[in-house]
Amino acid sequence: MRPQTLLPLFVALACSSCLTGCAGVPSIGGINPAALARAPSFPRVPVIPPSGFIFTDVKAPLQTSFEATSFGSRVGRAHTFYVRIPIPNYDISFAFEDASIAKAARKGGITQVKHVDYEMFQVFGLFGKFTTVVYGD
Amino acid sequence: MGFVFTNTLAPMDIDLNNTDLGSKRGTAESISILGLVSIGDASIYAAAKSNNITTVKHADYEMFNVLGIYSRFTTIVWGD
């Protein structure tokens, strides 16, 4: 195969690797700066699975310390939302709502929290939803 | 993390004082294609449910990546 025909392939691979290099590396025990840069309202989470620039719909642990962790019989969810309006030279974005553990527990009728996961949904960085998922009794 | 290829496992839980792994292992994963689309459930709950684990005692994770084209993140839980 001639080098000219390989060039687009290498460019595509480099671009994809760059994208996942920025967005695809999971962050364990810390913050992924790239994820924060893309979504300023992204909460502090210990584990960020590889994310997608166009579309992300993933669930991951919000807690990474386990000592005989059970889940209980109830589940409670609470959300925050992020909306960005792409206007040239301006970055107009909104983030609102309450995804606290307390609210998720209250919504699920949970008085004793046993474990917490989270859900992250985003489309093109324009709309994002972060959900705290609380398990307990 | 390797630029061309990655297939690594590492601890997610680093509080290991007298940790007993239990008898069961459960997994849950999310994938990313070209860094553009990412889907999946890699939560602790999903991993535990995959092998009927009711008590989670420890968690590890696995990262698999080929040239940034395909990435897979797997949560691995241990318990009973």
Side-chain angles (χ1 to χ4, degrees):
Chain A
M1 192 177 286
R2 295 188 309 174
Q4 291 89 336
T5 55
L6 286 174
L7 185 60
L9 175 64
F10 283 128
V11 169
L13 290 178
C15 289
S16 65
S17 298
C18 180
L19 281 170
T20 51
C22 298
V25 181
S27 173
I28 302 295
I31 304 301
N32 183 332
L36 281 178
R38 286 196 320 283
S41 65
F42 199 88
R44 295 173 67 92
V45 294
V47 179
I48 304 174
S51 54
F53 179 74
I54 295 175
F55 179 81
T56 298
D57 186 10
V58 295
K59 300 176 185 177
L62 191 56
Q63 174 186 336
T64 58
S65 181
F66 309 98
E67 197 171 328
T69 298
S70 61
F71 297 99
S73 57
R74 297 186 174 196
V75 181
R77 286 181 161 80
H79 318 274
T80 60
F81 298 93
Y82 172 80
V83 179
R84 180 169 175 258
I85 301 171
I87 297 175
N89 301 324
Y90 294 96
D91 184 13
I92 300 177
S93 57
F94 306 89
F96 51 94
E97 264 298 342
D98 179 359
S100 65
I101 303 290
K103 182 168 184 187
R106 197 163 58 243
K107 284 178 73 178
I110 295 169
T111 54
Q112 186 180 26
V113 175
K114 297 197 167 182
H115 176 69
V116 185
D117 287 326
Y118 76 90
E119 301 171 3
M120 180 64 200
F121 175 87
Q122 75 86 24
V123 181
F124 272 115
L126 300 178
F127 174 78
K129 183 172 93 168
F130 179 90
T131 304
T132 301
V133 185
V134 171
Y135 303 90
D137 289 319
Chain B
M1 176 135 176
F3 180 76
V4 175
F5 179 78
T6 299
N7 188 15
T8 57
L9 286 96
M12 183 183 291
D13 182 358
I14 55 173
D15 180 6
L16 303 168
N17 188 23
N18 295 321
T19 295
D20 163 32
L21 293 180
S23 58
K24 292 182 180 178
R25 177 183 185 273
T27 62
E29 62 188 38
S30 68
I31 63 167
S32 175
I33 309 293
L34 291 169
L36 298 176
V37 175
S38 177
I39 54 171
D41 184 349
S43 65
I44 296 295
Y45 181 75
K49 200 175 174 185
S50 73
N51 200 15
N52 296 320
I53 295 171
T54 54
T55 304
V56 176
K57 297 189 169 179
H58 177 67
D60 292 325
Y61 75 94
E62 179 182 7
M63 186 64 208
F64 178 85
N65 170 58
V66 181
L67 282 171
I69 296 171
Y70 175 81
S71 299
R72 186 183 67 219
F73 179 84
T74 306
T75 298
I76 304 167
V77 299
W78 304 87
D80 291 316

